[in-house]
Amino acid sequence: MKFIQQAYSGINQWWAYIVTIALFLIGWQFIGIIPLIGVAYFYSDGMDDFMASAQDNFMSAGMDSNLFLLLMIIMSLGGLLALFLGIKTIHKRKIITVLTSRDKIDWNRVFYSFSIWAIVGIVITGIGYFMAPEDYVWNFKPVSFFILVVISFLFLPIQTTMEEVLFRGYLMQGFGIWFKKGFIALILTSVIFGLLHGLNPEVEKLGWITMVYYIGTGLVLGIFTLMDEGTELALGFHAANNIVAALLVTADWVAFQTDALLIDVSEPSVDWQMFLPVFVLYPLILFIFSKKYGWTNWKGKLFGTVMKPVEFNEDQFIA
């Protein structure tokens, strides 16, 4: 549990976490949202129209979908920078300690995980299309789509990285040293991750059964992190998941409303595509990663007790 143990470096008292989370929320929801509010007001026909669009997070403000996506990513950037600031100045830790237990980020792991899950996502989307082509409308708009490709690959990983640093890094480590159990940290971060996504329009349309997918996704990302002693695999996996979703399929009832290649026009329903990842594909990906990276001691890493190292080189971590 070397990754969780890194939370023992620097300042790890409860107040440091409270202040850092408050700083994160300010950066994400108050500072990061300023550009979105400004652009939404520009597109609005007066204050009444502006206030009406605010009811759905300005999705109905009438701005271009690519611009809206970029502004949402800027919100995540505000949160990520604020979180890094808290880790650096309040916890007095190096940023690398919340990302990996290795000396530096293993980008090969990031890109391998990205590639594997991107391929799976493309295949599953293709199967869904060929099984029920009547549920989809071709939506290829060359200029808009290529702009979306640029935004997705260059900037969308900012949003997924913010979530991974927060949940699989910062909170996983914090809960781990508080409760002394990696498994409790895994469950808590996964449930909170799922509940945060409970604000997505998919939940309103499909019901709380969608928590199976969101919490299940949080669980598998957390297992990646605990078994691999770092967030690299989770970073690549999450980025691939959202990029493929943004580029391939959209619908008028999902959080990612983009100029994707396909529009899903079917009636929203809970089907095999929701449960397949959690109960089939995630275990398969875990098996592939475990073989590639030689994961051992599953019981110890997932259910063992988190102990403070007897000797801790503070200079290695404190900024």
Side-chain angles (χ1 to χ4, degrees):
M1 293 189 176
K2 184 179 178 182
F3 179 68
I4 289 181
Q5 288 175 325
Q6 292 185 124
Y8 283 113
S9 65
I11 298 172
N12 54 50
Q13 284 84 352
W14 64 269
W15 61 265
Y17 287 91
I18 298 297
V19 174
T20 300
I21 290 298
L23 186 63
F24 162 75
L25 292 174
I26 291 171
W28 178 37
Q29 290 291 314
F30 291 95
I31 297 176
I33 202 174
I34 290 174
L36 175 60
I37 291 176
V39 174
Y41 185 78
F42 175 81
Y43 274 85
S44 299
D45 186 20
M47 183 57 70
D48 289 342
D49 188 38
F50 172 78
M51 295 304 295
S53 67
Q55 300 301 312
D56 63 354
N57 296 319
F58 304 109
M59 293 179 65
S60 62
M63 69 184 77
D64 176 78
S65 62
N66 285 330
L67 176 59
F68 181 79
L69 177 60
L70 185 60
L71 292 169
M72 293 296 291
I73 293 171
I74 290 174
M75 283 183 61
S76 296
L77 177 61
L80 180 61
L81 292 177
L83 183 57
F84 281 162
L85 181 64
I87 293 167
K88 187 82 171 177
T89 62
I90 297 171
H91 288 277
K92 302 296 183 182
R93 291 170 55 187
K94 289 184 178 180
I95 302 301
I96 189 69
T97 65
V98 83
L99 293 170
T100 183
S101 61
R102 287 166 271 274
D103 293 334
K104 58 183 180 180
I105 296 175
D106 186 343
W107 291 104
N108 288 330
R109 276 173 154 83
V110 176
F111 293 129
Y112 179 77
S113 178
F114 180 96
S115 299
I116 291 293
W117 192 242
I119 291 170
V120 171
I122 292 169
V123 170
I124 294 302
T125 301
I127 292 173
Y129 177 78
F130 285 108
M131 286 181 61
E134 69 278 3
D135 289 343
Y136 300 91
V137 172
W138 186 248
N139 184 51
F140 181 56
K141 302 173 183 176
V143 175
S144 183
F145 179 73
F146 287 119
I147 292 174
L148 176 61
V149 169
V150 173
I151 292 174
S152 297
F153 279 96
L154 293 184
F155 302 110
L156 193 51
I158 293 173
Q159 178 257 325
T160 56
T161 297
M162 183 271 283
E163 294 188 10
E164 290 311 305
V165 172
L166 176 64
F167 289 102
R168 258 60 65 178
Y170 185 70
L171 292 180
M172 180 78 78
Q173 291 179 340
F175 288 140
I177 65 170
W178 290 347
F179 296 102
K180 309 299 182 186
K181 290 289 184 179
F183 183 72
I184 295 179
L186 172 64
I187 296 299
L188 287 176
T189 53
S190 301
V191 171
I192 297 172
F193 177 78
L195 292 176
L196 181 66
H197 288 80
L199 300 175
N200 287 2
E202 293 94 324
V203 177
E204 181 180 353
K205 284 289 184 179
L206 302 176
W208 285 94
I209 189 65
T210 53
M211 287 296 103
V212 172
Y213 171 75
Y214 289 122
I215 294 176
T217 300
L219 280 170
V220 76
L221 292 171
I223 294 172
F224 291 167
T225 301
L226 292 178
M227 291 305 303
D228 202 52
E229 300 287 8
T231 65
E232 290 98 335
L233 295 177
L235 287 170
F237 184 100
H238 200 161
N241 187 78
N242 286 25
I243 288 173
V244 169
L247 294 178
L248 295 189
V249 183
T250 189
D252 61 5
W253 49 272
V254 299
F256 266 24
Q257 294 186 24
T258 65
D259 280 328
L261 290 177
L262 297 169
I263 299 176
D264 185 346
V265 295
S266 63
E267 185 65 26
S269 63
V270 177
D271 57 17
W272 63 272
Q273 289 181 316
M274 177 178 296
F275 299 106
L276 178 68
V278 176
F279 297 109
V280 178
L281 298 180
Y282 290 173
L284 176 61
I285 296 296
L286 279 170
F287 176 78
I288 292 173
F289 287 172
S290 69
K291 292 302 181 183
K292 179 172 178 60
Y293 297 110
W295 292 347
T296 57
N297 191 26
W298 286 72
K299 182 178 180 180
K301 288 188 175 181
L302 296 181
F303 300 97
T305 300
V306 178
M307 303 294 291
K308 184 175 181 179
V310 177
E311 295 183 2
F312 212 91
N313 184 2
E314 296 287 341
D315 294 334
Q316 179 183 358
F317 299 100
I318 298 178

